[in-house]
């Protein structure tokens, strides 16, 4: 490359459009390459995918990869439909639940239209989507215990996006509370993002036979141990699903690849392994919460595969740094109101033992 | 589901926003399930992925699928950078080249801004993107021989998207012609979509050291026999790549899954198999073109893995239907100017023999 190429480089930013130049993209948790760290920062499942999933990938005829995948993702959607006892036409499949969320924000919310509400403390991708799609949005404060105030979402006329259980707090609403929100105004859309629902909350899927203004989104990344294959799905009335399909088919007709479809289908059908691993994670979570409390941390009640906890004296960023120096990676968010907190994914029993030991060392050394 | 659910269904379209309701989505070619057809309709490679690719998938530790993939797609981008002799910072990877194109349209073209030009006969996803992202666009007619008129794209001030070779015609521009377009105005962006470039055209990658207003997009779906895993990439100046990353990170941080990254990396490094299979496809294409001409069809000169051909008497839609009844699936586009034509993907020698036989039967029966 000649020397003046460096100059050109910089100035090719002139091709960024107004939106691209003004973006504040989502920052995912660190995915360390090569380093040996105990990874409790991105809510991955500590257990491998179900044996049925691994068997399905192994048995796949890789010569078929020369062909396009089924754009309708038929087998996977059928498996999801059977799991929830609904019709296949009520299931949409995407390349991870982030893609499904992005399609939903694009399909159903009007730029500068009706207000979209979500909690101020929640999945930090929501404000990214809201800005990116130029929506009229408002972040509604959770209360001082980090709980979603249900009444705030029962006002008519505002679309709603809620993570249940919420992230990064882990706190869940009950099915009755979700129903109150959905029923409050049948002419606005309520999206319930259930990325963590299998770790102790109730799915709003149970409400789908009564309400058509409800879209439930789930992922295979967490409870199905398949973050590496990128499959998420939405369930809701067939017309909502058709709206998602219209948007997808204006962007990318084939977002779920063949091996992902194969693995995801097997995962949804692997009931026993799923039950065993999610129970184990919930058990380890409860033990860990108790031990963190014992070390003097404040721990929010979690229905997810992570714990949100704060030490009263040590700043979250500092604690995260000290843990990292001791080989344990946790997530800290530089956000108002939660700056003191750490989000700690639930790993294996052994990993959590190491976390607790390292934390005890740090607290002991800092004499707090 | 209770009876009134059917009524709700229909009306949930009330949640489609203005854009969703007005969409004209892209319609991909048919992916038949179960039926035994000779599939010459979606330009898939008739040969399986390279042995190195299959080996890499087989050797993969599937337990790792519990973890998120590398969001930077480092290994694959490194392989692409080495292949083209450029820096990794000049490579963007996406979930198929359609996703990469969608990101590029979103990142660089201003809604209702500077005019975006592409040929009237070209990849039918371009006008879908242009409408979806609400661009100011114009389809420039190809000439009566279906050739792109280079001078039409050398006017200053208009962004340009060109498929080279063009689809569905298969006709290629030379590197000199592409350079004339790129050099005509360094302040507008030129996107060259090279989905089919490995079958006989010259890549504009050779121009990247001289121009920073050029983005080249390729896919692994065709020449690398990996339509099933969904990987495409863009190469261009680091600032253009950064623009694509900004858009991606506002939508979905992890669009390329672990197995796709693994397969794609191996594919880009499988030079010998790649060379052998693409040469074979070009050879079969030339033979097939000759035989189609012999049957009285008009055949456009193709540098792609398909042939665009028309019978002077039989309408394209009819001919496609008659071929389908005889077990051969080809693609017909209901578009002005090309309604007479069929796009026929190049399969194996044996598949093309069957195509020619069936076509001969049809023409004989219709006495034309």
């Amino acid at each position: 490359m000649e020397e003046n190429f460096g100059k050109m480089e910089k100035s090719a930013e002139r091709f960024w459009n107004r939106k691209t130049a003004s973006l504040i993209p989502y920052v995912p948790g660190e995915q360390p390459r090569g380093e040996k760290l105990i990874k409790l920062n991105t809510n991955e499942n500590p257990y491998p995918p179900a044996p049925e999933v691994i068997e399905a990938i192994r048995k796949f005829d890789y010569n078929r990869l020369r062909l396009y995948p089924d754009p309708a993702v038929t087998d996977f959607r059928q498996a999801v439909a059977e799991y929830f006892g609904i019709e296949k036409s009520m299931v949409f499949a995407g390349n991870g639940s982030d893609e499904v969320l992005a399609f939903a924000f694009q399909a159903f919310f009007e730029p500068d239209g009706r207000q979209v509400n979500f909690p101020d403390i929640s999945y930090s991708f929501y404000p990214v989507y809201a800005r990116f799609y130029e929506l009229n949005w408002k972040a509604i404060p959770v209360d001082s215990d980090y709980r979603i105030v249900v009444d705030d979402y029962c006002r008519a006329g505002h679309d709603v996006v809620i993570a249940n259980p919420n992230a990064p707090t882990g706190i869940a609403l009950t099915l009755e509370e979700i129903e109150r929100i959905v029923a409050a105004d049948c002419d606005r859309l309520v999206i319930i993002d259930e990325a963590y629902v299998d770790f102790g909350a109730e799915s709003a899927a149970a409400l789908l036979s009564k309400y058509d203004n409800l879209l439930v989104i789930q992922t295979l990344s967490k409870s199905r141990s398949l973050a590496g294959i990128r499959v998420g799905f939405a369930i809701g009335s067939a017309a909502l699903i058709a709206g998602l399909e219209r948007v997808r088919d204006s962007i990318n007709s084939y977002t779920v690849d063949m091996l992902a479809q194969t693995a995801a289908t097997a995962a949804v059908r692997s009931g026993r392994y799923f039950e065993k691993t999610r129970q184990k994670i919930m058990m380890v979570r409860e033990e860990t919460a108790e031990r963190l409390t014992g070390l003097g941390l404040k721990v929010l009640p979690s229905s997810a595969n992570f714990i949100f906890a704060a030490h009263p004296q040590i700043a979250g960023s500092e604690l995260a740094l000290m843990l990292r120096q001791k080989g344990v990676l946790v997530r800290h968010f530089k956000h108002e109101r939660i700056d003191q907190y750490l989000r700690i994914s639930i790993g294996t029993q052994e990993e959590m033992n190491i976390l607790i030991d390292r934390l005890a060392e740090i607290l002991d050394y800092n004499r707090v």
Side-chain angles (χ1 to χ4, degrees), chain A:
Chain A
M1 305 272 146
E2 50 268 61
E3 217 195 318
N4 77 337
F5 196 72
K7 272 179 271 167
M8 290 204 308
E9 276 300 294
K10 231 181 167 144
S11 66
E13 285 184 15
R14 70 191 182 281
F15 297 113
W16 296 7
N17 65 17
R18 184 186 48 77
K19 197 193 243 187
T20 302
S22 71
L23 284 179
I24 310 171
Y26 173 76
V27 181
E30 186 184 351
Q31 299 296 346
R33 281 170 58 90
E35 273 178 286
K36 280 229 186 285
L37 290 166
I38 293 183
K39 196 167 176 310
L40 306 176
N41 71 326
T42 50
N43 297 341
E44 287 140 335
N45 198 307
Y47 306 110
E52 298 92 318
V53 171
I54 291 176
E55 184 61 15
I57 300 174
R58 214 166 253 149
K59 273 173 38 193
F60 190 87
D61 173 9
Y62 304 127
N63 291 334
R64 282 180 52 209
L65 293 175
R66 71 177 185 83
L67 299 170
Y68 281 97
D70 172 15
V73 200
T74 310
D75 293 341
F76 171 68
R77 287 169 57 226
Q78 187 58 43
V80 171
E82 284 165 19
Y83 179 81
F84 288 103
I86 56 178
E87 295 298 312
K88 179 162 65 69
S89 61
M90 295 176 70
V91 183
F92 177 86
N95 183 34
S97 64
D98 285 344
E99 180 177 88
V100 179
L101 279 163
F103 288 160
F105 271 69
Q106 247 173 310
F108 306 122
F109 302 145
E110 199 74 66
D112 299 318
R114 184 156 62 183
Q115 199 179 74
V116 181
N117 292 160
F118 41 79
D120 65 337
I121 308 298
S122 193
Y123 185 31
S124 48
F125 228 132
Y126 303 152
V128 171
Y129 294 134
R131 280 188 215 104
F132 190 65
Y133 297 119
E134 302 179 326
L135 307 180
N136 172 20
W137 60 284
K138 194 176 164 190
I140 310 276
V142 294
D143 72 13
S144 56
D145 291 328
Y146 298 99
R147 290 183 177 278
I148 288 171
V149 181
V150 172
D151 283 340
D152 289 349
Y153 298 89
C154 291
R155 285 182 300 231
H158 296 175
D159 292 317
V160 169
V161 182
I162 284 178
N164 192 46
N166 198 15
T169 63
I171 300 173
L173 294 176
T174 64
L175 188 59
E176 289 66 35
E177 289 173 314
I178 296 285
E179 182 163 10
R180 265 178 61 208
I181 294 170
V182 176
D185 175 5
C186 290
D187 279 323
R188 51 88 185 261
L189 183 65
V190 176
I191 295 181
I192 306 294
D193 176 359
E194 298 187 342
Y196 302 103
V197 76
D198 294 323
F199 301 107
E202 294 166 283
S203 174
L207 304 174
L208 287 174
S209 58
K210 282 168 73 182
Y211 302 97
D212 75 345
N213 61 319
L214 170 65
L215 190 73
V216 176
I217 296 180
Q218 293 196 4
T219 175
L220 275 73
S221 296
K222 273 80 185 198
S223 59
R224 304 289 181 170
S225 301
L226 281 174
I229 68 142
R230 321 301 312 119
V231 178
F233 61 89
I235 53 178
S237 68
L240 290 178
I241 300 310
L244 293 172
E245 288 168 350
R246 289 174 78 90
V247 166
R248 181 205 48 211
D249 292 339
S250 300
I251 295 173
N252 189 3
S253 322
Y254 305 91
T255 76
V256 187
D257 71 50
M258 267 189 189
L259 287 169
Q261 292 192 26
T262 301
T265 306
V268 171
R269 298 204 161 122
S270 61
R272 261 178 60 188
Y273 182 85
F274 167 68
E275 204 49 48
K276 198 175 71 182
T277 48
R278 75 187 187 103
Q279 294 297 345
K280 176 81 179 164
I281 288 165
M282 288 189 272
M283 201 191 72
V284 173
R285 177 187 69 212
E286 294 312 307
E287 277 176 26
T288 306
E290 229 171 88
R291 295 166 78 187
L292 290 171
T293 307
L295 287 173
L297 278 80
K298 182 178 177 184
V299 176
L300 300 188
S302 172
S303 300
N305 70 337
F306 55 82
I307 281 173
F308 207 48
H311 191 277
Q313 274 93 51
I314 310 177
S317 56
E318 271 180 66
L319 205 49
L321 190 65
M322 289 187 282
L323 278 168
R324 197 189 201 291
Q325 285 161 347
K326 287 180 176 285
V328 182
L329 206 53
V330 300
R331 187 98 196 250
H332 173 258
F333 297 91
K334 269 187 201 134
H335 288 312
E336 247 183 287
R337 300 190 69 186
I338 55 169
D339 201 52
Q340 194 70 14
Y341 280 79
L342 297 180
R343 194 194 64 188
I344 304 167
S345 308
I346 302 302
T348 60
Q349 182 82 68
E350 196 188 357
E351 288 174 323
M352 300 326 274
N353 290 343
I354 296 172
L355 164 81
I356 296 290
D357 287 353
R358 297 293 172 272
L359 204 51
E361 287 166 23
I362 290 167
L363 298 179
D364 191 46
Y365 182 82
N366 289 271
R367 288 158 209 277
V368 286

